[in-house]
Amino acid sequence: MPQTHPLNQEVTLSVIKTACSNCNLRELCLPLGLTLEELEQLDNMVSTRRRIKRGDHLYRAGEAFDAIYAIRSGFFKTDVLLEDGRDQVTGFQMAGELLGLDGISTEHHTCNAIALEDSEICAIPFSRLEVLSREIHTLQHHFHKVMSREIVRDHGVMMLLGTMRAEERLAAFLLNLSQRFTARGFSHAEFYLRMTREEIGSYLGLKLETVSRAFSRFQEEGHIAVQQKHIRILNVNGLKALMHHRAV
Amino acid sequence: MPQTHPLNQEVTLSVIKTACSNCNLRELCLPLGLTLEELEQLDNMVSTRRRIKRGDHLYRAGEAFDAIYAIRSGFFKTDVLLEDGRDQVTGFQMAGELLGLDGISTEHHTCNAIALEDSEICAIPFSRLEVLSREIHTLQHHFHKVMSREIVRDHGVMMLLGTMRAEERLAAFLLNLSQRFTARGFSHAEFYLRMTREEIGSYLGLKLETVSRAFSRFQEEGHIAVQQKHIRILNVNGLKALMHHRAV
DNA sequence: GCGTTCGCTTGATCCATGTCAACCATAAAT
DNA sequence: ATTTATGGTTGACATGGATCAAGCGAACGC
């Protein structure tokens, strides 16, 4: 029994426009590997597609968890707050990536998700995702992979925070961004940062001054050109070398 | 069609002895919340129960992934190795916890799992786990929670590495261990460390000398008594205060 | 157009932790 | 019992990044 809105062509159009099946991110997002028919089932499940204005929260730590979110467009950060006021950015998320996986554990979100630019998200009610993934094996398996990938990513960040020095961290960060922009069809060598130096620093376990100095140093050495948030990578291999060549 | 070993009482006995249904860790492990009947299905799935001697690898980074492992007894560490030789301990795992979740993502293990004492593990073939969790909703949901909990844990470590200083990190580490030992019915105030100062340091992003000095300092201040690997916590609140009270 | 604000850069100084080195304790090997 | 190896402690010193402080540039509101 397909849902229709015979009295409102607008709504129908908007639904079609934002369906997973038409979304050019589907190969990066949850639908990866699904057949057309399965895609439709997933589409029916996505309850809400919503705009989040820059600076607004998608969810806050402590709120009840009931859905995970796929980013349709835009850019987010997640951060964790400690009682004593310290906070840390735990990640930056871009189109096609999922937000909210941390909430499954306790049924409450454990971090804040904040839009760093005007964004659009698709809300996927988690209980329905579990139902559907019992039916669609591909979806089940892919969802598991996505969660696992998040764990692997976190290990990478732990590595970075635990063993790398400031410039290595920043080089790794830039290369990671570049790679993710590339996967989305953008230039690998030129992009705008959506986050401040302070947010980068928080993510990398550094102070904003240190981030700024490292940017300047990279520029002096010809690895990149920086102008505020505009980054051009001039020498990828230089950055890669920076990441690894280190006196242990 | 139940599997039996009519010709070999030994085997039957050993299987019974190590079944999930008889395992006193089942409330900490994957079987949480399952009915007796479901437990039996899970039991049938666990393909291997294996001993791992201290120092031996359960799996190595790069190996094909096909099972996750539940720790039946013992103690493990996982670590990640970078090309340039740097490595980092990404976690310490004890009885009832799962190992290998990181391998789902790429179908290859991304870290090494090494026994820190003689241990026993249950191997759970992942494809069969996916099949079974399509049938047993409770299992499916709990598995998702376990993965999510791992993500939350990793965020905690990122917080620790990114914002805490040496003594705060060590205090957090000790309190975490204490809490996990308690959950397993051991003393919360007295335990033996299974890992070296170097391994603790690697996990906490510190050098072994710094770890050693922090232990000594805690002892001087009366928070703990240390003698090599034997730890007694004398003042839990002292440690908690150490973790939070900090001039930002 | 002009001030105000916010984010960024740069310099000077300080300090927590790393590094290097010596020594000690425990356990295993002979 | 003695040697050897491994892990732990402690001290002296070096240093990377934090902190404090000043100034600059771009964006925004008026």
Side-chain angles (χ1 to χ4, degrees):
Chain A
M1 188 165 52
Q3 292 174 246
T4 51
H5 297 268
L7 300 178
N8 191 335
Q9 188 67 16
E10 284 305 304
V11 169
T12 311
L13 265 176
S14 132
V15 167
I16 287 173
K17 201 182 64 149
T18 57
C20 292
S21 27
N22 289 331
C23 181
N24 55 12
L25 293 163
R26 64 180 179 276
E27 292 305 310
L28 285 167
C29 191
L30 214 48
L32 180 81
L34 301 193
T35 66
L36 270 169
E37 194 187 351
E38 290 165 346
L39 249 174
E40 218 165 289
Q41 292 182 269
L42 185 59
D43 261 337
N44 291 336
M45 194 181 68
V46 175
S47 62
T48 321
R49 297 190 160 86
R50 185 149 65 96
R51 291 176 187 279
I52 311 287
K53 283 208 109 38
R54 175 185 164 157
D56 284 354
H57 282 71
L58 172 57
Y59 55 79
R60 289 170 194 272
E63 286 178 9
F65 162 85
D66 54 38
I68 60 174
Y69 304 93
I71 304 176
R72 195 171 159 69
S73 70
F75 208 97
F76 284 81
K77 71 168 176 181
T78 46
D79 66 14
V80 179
L81 204 82
L82 245 57
E83 310 90 81
D84 57 14
R86 277 180 282 189
D87 69 339
Q88 173 146 15
V89 172
T90 52
F92 297 107
Q93 297 79 21
M94 48 177 87
E97 295 175 339
L98 294 184
L99 277 164
L101 297 176
D102 57 279
I104 301 169
S105 159
T106 59
E107 324 230 344
H108 288 267
H109 290 289
T110 61
C111 60
N112 303 293
I114 298 153
L116 294 181
E117 61 182 31
D118 293 356
S119 304
E120 297 175 291
I121 57 86
C122 305
I124 304 164
F126 187 63
S127 54
R128 297 179 67 184
L129 178 63
E130 286 192 331
V131 172
L132 194 58
S133 77
R134 277 180 232 134
E135 290 164 26
I136 307 178
H137 303 2
T138 316
L139 180 64
Q140 179 196 35
H141 191 58
H142 186 237
F143 178 64
H144 291 159
K145 283 195 168 192
V146 169
M147 291 211 88
S148 174
R149 193 195 304 151
E150 180 67 15
I151 292 172
V152 174
R153 186 194 72 84
D154 290 345
H155 288 176
V157 176
M158 287 165 58
M159 190 83 197
L160 179 144
L161 292 170
T163 73
M164 294 187 181
R165 35 191 59 214
E167 294 191 2
E168 297 176 300
R169 294 183 200 185
L170 190 64
F173 173 72
L174 289 174
L175 290 168
N176 175 265
L177 275 188
S178 159
Q179 179 259 306
R180 284 155 74 200
F181 279 125
T182 311
R184 281 155 187 82
F186 300 110
S187 166
H188 71 101
E190 183 163 12
F191 48 84
Y192 280 87
L193 298 173
R194 270 71 170 185
M195 69 294 282
T196 66
R197 303 288 191 260
E198 186 166 18
E199 287 163 337
I200 297 173
S202 172
Y203 181 60
L204 299 178
L206 302 169
K207 292 294 161 180
L208 69 96
E209 293 94 330
T210 306
V211 174
S212 179
R213 278 186 243 271
F215 270 128
S216 302
R217 193 112 197 284
F218 287 177
Q219 178 154 252
E220 279 168 33
E221 290 172 354
H223 301 309
I224 61 172
V226 208
Q227 200 180 13
Q228 305 283 118
K229 295 194 153 138
H230 181 213
I231 303 283
R232 271 184 306 138
I233 296 183
L234 305 175
N235 180 2
V236 186
N237 292 327
L239 285 180
K240 284 186 182 161
L242 250 164
M243 254 188 76
H244 299 300
H245 259 302
R246 116 157 172 148
V248 177
Chain B
M1 186 166 57
Q3 290 172 250
T4 53
H5 297 267
L7 300 177
N8 191 336
Q9 189 68 15
E10 284 303 306
V11 169
T12 310
L13 266 176
S14 131
V15 167
I16 287 172
K17 200 183 62 150
T18 58
C20 293
S21 29
N22 289 331
C23 180
N24 54 13
L25 293 163
R26 64 180 179 277
E27 293 304 312
L28 285 167
C29 191
L30 213 50
L32 179 80
L34 300 193
T35 67
L36 271 169
E37 193 187 350
E38 291 165 345
L39 248 173
E40 218 166 287
Q41 291 182 270
L42 185 60
D43 261 337
N44 290 337
M45 194 180 69
V46 175
S47 63
T48 320
R49 295 189 161 85
R50 185 150 65 96
R51 291 177 188 279
I52 310 287
K53 282 209 109 42
R54 176 186 162 154
D56 283 355
H57 282 71
L58 172 57
Y59 56 79
R60 289 171 194 273
E63 285 177 11
F65 161 86
D66 54 37
I68 61 175
Y69 304 93
I71 303 176
R72 197 173 158 69
S73 69
F75 207 97
F76 284 81
K77 70 167 176 181
T78 46
D79 66 14
V80 178
L81 205 82
L82 245 57
E83 310 88 81
D84 57 14
R86 276 181 283 188
D87 69 338
Q88 173 146 14
V89 173
T90 52
F92 297 107
Q93 297 80 20
M94 48 178 85
E97 296 175 338
L98 294 185
L99 277 164
L101 297 177
D102 58 278
I104 301 168
S105 158
T106 58
E107 323 229 341
H108 288 266
H109 290 290
T110 62
C111 60
N112 303 293
I114 298 153
L116 293 181
E117 62 183 30
D118 293 357
S119 304
E120 297 174 291
I121 57 86
C122 306
I124 304 164
F126 187 62
S127 55
R128 297 180 67 185
L129 178 62
E130 286 192 329
V131 171
L132 195 57
S133 75
R134 277 180 232 134
E135 288 164 29
I136 307 177
H137 303 3
T138 317
L139 179 63
Q140 179 196 35
H141 191 58
H142 187 238
F143 178 63
H144 290 159
K145 283 195 169 194
V146 169
M147 291 210 88
S148 173
R149 193 195 303 150
E150 181 68 17
I151 292 172
V152 174
R153 187 194 72 85
D154 289 346
H155 288 175
V157 177
M158 286 165 60
M159 190 84 198
L160 180 145
L161 292 171
T163 73
M164 293 188 183
R165 33 192 56 212
E167 293 191 1
E168 296 176 302
R169 294 183 200 185
L170 190 64
F173 173 72
L174 289 174
L175 290 168
N176 175 266
L177 275 188
S178 160
Q179 179 259 307
R180 285 155 73 199
F181 279 126
T182 310
R184 281 154 188 82
F186 299 110
S187 166
H188 71 101
E190 183 162 13
F191 47 83
Y192 280 87
L193 298 173
R194 270 71 171 186
M195 69 295 280
T196 67
R197 302 289 191 261
E198 186 167 19
E199 287 163 336
I200 297 172
S202 173
Y203 180 60
L204 299 178
L206 302 168
K207 292 294 160 180
L208 68 96
E209 293 94 330
T210 306
V211 173
S212 180
R213 277 186 246 270
F215 270 128
S216 303
R217 193 113 197 284
F218 287 178
Q219 177 154 253
E220 279 167 33
E221 290 173 353
H223 300 308
I224 63 171
V226 208
Q227 200 180 13
Q228 305 283 116
K229 295 195 153 134
H230 180 211
I231 303 283
R232 271 184 306 138
I233 296 183
L234 305 175
N235 180 2
V236 187
N237 292 326
L239 284 182
K240 285 185 183 160
L242 248 163
M243 254 187 77
H244 298 300
H245 260 300
R246 114 156 173 148
V248 176

